[in-house]
Amino acid sequence: MTKYKDIQPAITVLGAVICVMLTGCTGLRLPKFAGSDQGSEYVGVDPSVLSDGAVNEKNYYAVRQALKQNAIVLNVQGDSDPVRILPLPSEGESVLVSDLLRQSGVLKSIGAVDVVVFRHLPPSPTGLRLPVRMNGSHEEVRPETDYALRPGDRIQVSRYTNDMVQSLLSKAMGL
């Protein structure tokens, strides 16, 4: 019995290791990631890169189709057909956001607009949010954000609403 008394602690440790291996690590609790909510899963992309625009199934599949067809997705909120796939010209010719707004007739039909470009970014279903700055009347794109469009870009256009807070911020920033 003295022989077994010496190896009893080793057998106990071995038994515990086998128990953990067979049951998995479900009994272990790891610390949560900083800033994560309870029950949420970790996302490997910086949240500031993700857009705040809603991506529904129709937009998602439209972007996938646009990538295959060398096209972009024009998403006009409030329109009878809000998601349209528009082809880009052949290689060597670029289309700017201002060209798209003018040639598609969005500015004529809506007038003052707010525009956001969502650039296709593989790990994110929404894409990289690229805000488009407009002039004071919200009818012309400012040159510093007149992006050249790429296949798979989704351009979200909505009617400009002149709320008081936005107006005061624009004046304070000298826009």
Side-chain angles (χ1 to χ4, degrees), residues 77-164:
Q77 295 181 345
D79 193 26
S80 60
D81 186 17
V83 180
R84 297 183 181 151
I85 299 173
L86 304 174
L88 287 171
S90 60
E91 289 189 36
E93 298 177 47
S94 62
V95 174
L96 302 175
V97 174
S98 58
D99 297 333
L100 172 71
L101 295 174
R102 191 173 42 261
Q103 292 174 5
S104 66
V106 170
L107 290 176
K108 284 184 181 179
S109 64
I110 295 179
V113 295
D114 280 323
V115 181
V116 179
V117 174
F118 293 96
R119 176 103 345 128
H120 175 70
L121 184 67
S124 166
T126 56
L128 176 65
R129 186 178 199 276
L130 303 172
V132 176
R133 295 180 69 191
M134 305 296 284
N135 69 353
S137 65
H138 279 257
E139 293 179 0
E140 291 181 25
V141 177
R142 293 185 52 168
E144 65 269 20
T145 59
D146 200 3
Y147 305 107
L149 299 174
R150 298 181 186 170
D153 282 354
R154 180 170 62 94
I155 299 81
Q156 182 175 310
V157 180
S158 59
R159 184 180 308 271
Y160 172 68
T161 54
N162 186 10
D163 66 355
M164 195 61 125

Side-chain angles (χ1 to χ4, degrees), residues 23-124:
T23 60
C25 296
T26 56
L28 300 177
R29 294 197 179 254
L30 298 175
K32 291 197 172 273
F33 291 101
S36 67
D37 296 334
Q38 275 189 327
S40 67
E41 293 184 20
Y42 176 73
V43 177
V45 177
D46 181 8
S48 65
V49 173
L50 302 177
S51 71
D52 57 3
V55 173
N56 59 27
E57 187 176 1
K58 190 172 184 177
N59 284 328
Y60 176 76
Y61 285 110
V63 168
R64 289 183 61 168
Q65 185 178 354
L67 281 166
K68 292 177 185 175
Q69 298 176 353
N70 188 39
I72 52 129
V73 177
L74 178 60
N75 185 296
V76 181
Q77 295 181 345
D79 193 26
S80 60
D81 186 17
V83 180
R84 297 183 181 151
I85 299 173
L86 304 174
L88 287 171
S90 60
E91 289 189 36
E93 298 177 47
S94 62
V95 174
L96 302 175
V97 174
S98 58
D99 297 333
L100 172 71
L101 295 174
R102 191 173 42 261
Q103 292 174 5
S104 66
V106 170
L107 290 176
K108 284 184 181 179
S109 64
I110 295 179
V113 295
D114 280 323
V115 181
V116 179
V117 174
F118 293 96
R119 176 103 345 128
H120 175 70
L121 184 67
S124 166

